[in-house]
Amino acid sequence: MGSSTRISSRKVKVDVDAAFVMSADLVSHFPATCAEYLKEIPMACLDIAPCPTTLASDIVLPGVIDAMECDGTFYRLDDVPVYFQPFTKSPFGFTQSNEDTMKQLFERIKKLK
């Protein structure tokens, strides 16, 4: 798995060999040492817009905008579920939602074994 590596001026144990980032700009929001490490390892990203994480990624998958281009249930901070219906369709012919993209990806990975 991971190995010890030098990040910044401190020695820290690193147990991440690769990253898959979904709809989160970790490079912008993680501490600088962590963001720098993410740039060093293989990284794939699924997102709806260009950001520092997509720029640092080796593979970028286009995302579908939840509640706009696909339906779903979201939970408010007080745990009340709110169901949303899409008012437009995904612009991508190969997927209807991020969940669909992930299922397709997992099926392809299973076939590689």
Side-chain angles (χ1 to χ4, degrees):
M1 222 128 134
S3 62
S4 294
T5 188
R6 193 171 261 308
I7 297 178
S8 189
S9 61
R10 300 182 317 183
K11 188 160 175 95
V12 295
K13 184 172 168 89
V14 178
D15 287 328
V16 178
D17 297 323
F20 182 85
V21 181
M22 185 169 165
S23 302
D25 187 9
L26 299 184
V27 172
S28 291
H29 297 96
F30 270 11
T33 54
C34 297
E36 287 301 318
Y37 184 71
L38 279 175
K39 294 177 186 178
E40 294 175 15
I41 62 174
M43 183 168 49
C45 179
L46 185 149
D47 212 320
I48 62 169
C51 62
T53 300
T54 60
L55 294 174
S57 294
D58 300 293
I59 298 170
V60 178
L61 302 170
V64 176
I65 303 172
D66 297 319
M68 185 173 140
E69 298 172 343
C70 68
D71 67 338
T73 302
F74 297 83
Y75 290 85
R76 296 186 337 195
L77 292 174
D78 57 355
D79 290 328
V80 174
V82 180
Y83 178 76
F84 287 91
Q85 290 184 343
F87 57 86
T88 188
K89 292 188 178 197
S90 166
F92 310 112
F94 58 87
T95 189
Q96 298 304 308
S97 67
N98 295 329
E99 177 184 20
D100 182 41
T101 301
M102 294 298 295
K103 285 179 180 178
Q104 290 180 52
L105 183 61
F106 289 139
E107 286 303 315
R108 292 187 90 174
I109 291 169
K110 286 181 199 175
K111 289 179 184 177
L112 294 175
K113 286 187 173 186

